[in-house]
């Protein structure tokens, strides 16, 4: 199953980092948050990634093009270009990096990746949020529902739009404005999607969280997987500092993988 990661926005609320690079390339503990997200999925056996780039996509391309060489000992024959990897350290991942347009919105980016994703069920998430959600359980839950998309509902105080849920939290009935500290659940990303969702996206200027979500709700095709554990986005410099502090403890809650 493929994993699509939205990684093309401008990240204006984290301008301290994003003036020169896309937000998913901002580092936590010396590694891009995009790498942390991939490590979460790979821990559960999902290692075929499609990165939906846009703004400064060259940073993402360069990072992964140089990734193996930056971690490994090797001998290179400059005459022939042949490389002998003496001690390769890179993860066993397959990564497709796409330029989905600098100005595209989230829905537009997903739509542009259709040819790489429409072969079956796929995972989708944002390139700026980490969690200790059990991806295997999430996928199993999605497969138990007769819906086209499952989102992960998480608790986060303030700033975000709350979800209106029913069916013991498994069905989404609408979105609303969330008041800080009201204990409501929000859309935390970590979606599982069916190919039918592509037909709900109009064009490059479609926001995934707007019309497509409304259409899914109208068709009763949007489920929610309630996760009561850790979730944190990196929306602002303060969020980045929170994540850095957690990583520095050597026991970051989203680090579900072993070194």
């Amino acid at each position: 199953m493929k994993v699509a990661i939205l990684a093309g926005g401008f990240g204006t609320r984290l301008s301290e980092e994003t003036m020169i690079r896309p937000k998913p390339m901002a580092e936590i503990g010396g590694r891009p948050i995009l790498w942390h997200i991939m490590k979460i999925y790979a821990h559960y056996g999902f290692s075929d990634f499609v990165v939906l780039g846009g703004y400064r996509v060259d940073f993402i391309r360069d990072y992964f093009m140089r990734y193996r060489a930056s971690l490994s000992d090797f001998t290179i024959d400059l005459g022939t270009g042949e490389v002998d990897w003496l001690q390769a350290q890179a993860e066993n991942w397959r990564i497709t990096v796409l330029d989905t347009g600098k100005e595209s919105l989230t829905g537009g980016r997903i739509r542009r990746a259709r040819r790489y994703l429409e072969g079956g069920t796929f995972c989708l998430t944002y390139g700026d949020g980490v969690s200790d959600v059990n991806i295997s359980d999430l996928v199993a839950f999605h497969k138990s529902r007769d819906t086209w998309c499952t989102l992960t509902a998480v608790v986060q105080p303030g700033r975000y739009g709350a979800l209106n849920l029913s069916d013991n939290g498994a069905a989404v009935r609408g979105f609303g404005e969330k008041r800080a500290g009201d204990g409501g659940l929000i859309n935390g990303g970590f979606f599982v999607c069916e190919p039918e969702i592509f037909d709900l996206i109009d064009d490059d200027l479609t926001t995934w969280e707007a019309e497509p979500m409304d259409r899914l709700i109208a068709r009763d095709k949007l489920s929610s997987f309630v996760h009561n554990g850790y979730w944190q986005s990196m929306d602002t410099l303060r969020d980045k500092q929170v994540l850095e502090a957690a990583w520095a403890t050597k026991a970051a809650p989203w680090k579900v993988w072993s070194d």
Side-chain angles (χ1 to χ4, degrees):
M1 186 181 297
K2 292 187 177 182
V3 180
I5 304 176
L6 289 158
F10 291 98
T12 53
R13 283 179 287 188
L14 191 61
S15 59
E16 299 88 350
E17 292 280 344
T18 58
M19 288 293 290
I20 60 171
R21 57 184 170 184
K23 183 163 62 167
M25 296 304 292
E27 294 183 349
I28 303 298
R31 299 279 194 178
I33 192 169
L34 178 60
W35 176 89
H36 290 261
I37 295 166
M38 289 175 161
K39 291 289 282 188
I40 295 168
Y41 278 97
H43 173 72
Y44 293 100
F46 301 91
S47 57
D48 190 350
F49 300 101
V50 181
V51 181
L52 312 185
Y55 171 67
R56 301 312 303 267
V57 67
D58 53 304
F59 270 77
I60 301 173
R61 288 172 170 161
D62 290 347
Y63 180 78
F64 288 114
M65 289 294 289
R66 296 184 294 102
Y67 188 77
R68 183 172 183 175
S70 69
L71 296 176
S72 307
D73 295 336
F74 61 86
T75 299
I76 183 169
D77 186 321
L78 294 180
T80 65
E82 182 179 349
V83 178
D84 181 13
W85 298 101
L86 305 178
Q87 189 177 3
Q89 301 290 335
E91 286 83 355
N92 187 25
W93 298 347
R94 185 174 186 269
I95 304 170
T96 301
V97 180
L98 303 178
D99 183 352
T100 58
K102 187 176 179 180
E103 304 294 335
S104 297
L105 300 182
T106 48
R109 298 193 189 285
I110 297 166
R111 183 173 178 267
R112 285 198 179 201
R114 180 172 189 161
R115 61 176 291 197
Y116 302 96
L117 297 170
E118 65 178 350
T121 307
F122 64 94
C123 293
L124 167 71
T125 197
Y126 303 110
D128 63 355
V130 291
S131 177
D132 61 357
V133 60
N134 186 307
I135 304 297
S136 296
D137 288 350
L138 167 62
V139 171
F141 173 85
H142 172 77
K143 290 182 176 180
S144 74
R145 308 285 297 181
D146 182 26
T147 55
W148 295 347
C149 179
T150 296
L151 60 78
T152 298
V154 299
V155 177
Q156 171 72 24
R159 292 197 330 222
Y160 299 91
L163 297 170
N164 178 11
L165 305 180
S166 64
D167 189 16
N168 293 321
V172 181
R173 299 304 179 199
F175 287 85
E177 289 303 313
K178 182 179 186 300
R179 297 181 298 276
D182 69 1
L185 295 171
I186 65 164
N187 167 22
F190 293 94
F191 303 92
V192 185
C193 303
E194 299 299 327
E196 284 83 356
I197 63 101
F198 292 111
D199 292 329
L200 305 179
I201 302 171
D202 295 329
D203 52 35
D204 284 352
L205 299 182
T206 300
T207 301
W208 167 240
E209 301 79 11
E211 294 91 350
M213 288 287 179
D214 290 340
R215 290 164 182 167
L216 284 165
I217 292 169
R219 291 165 172 80
D220 198 21
K221 291 296 183 180
L222 180 61
S223 298
S224 62
F225 178 80
V226 177
H227 175 60
N228 292 312
Y230 182 86
W231 178 88
Q232 177 66 51
S233 68
M234 189 181 65
D235 220 30
T236 64
L237 181 59
R238 179 187 176 279
D239 294 334
K240 184 178 187 298
Q241 292 167 344
V242 167
L243 290 167
E244 286 278 17
W247 187 259
T249 67
K250 308 297 184 183
W254 70 89
K255 188 182 179 295
V256 293
W257 64 91
S258 300
D259 291 325

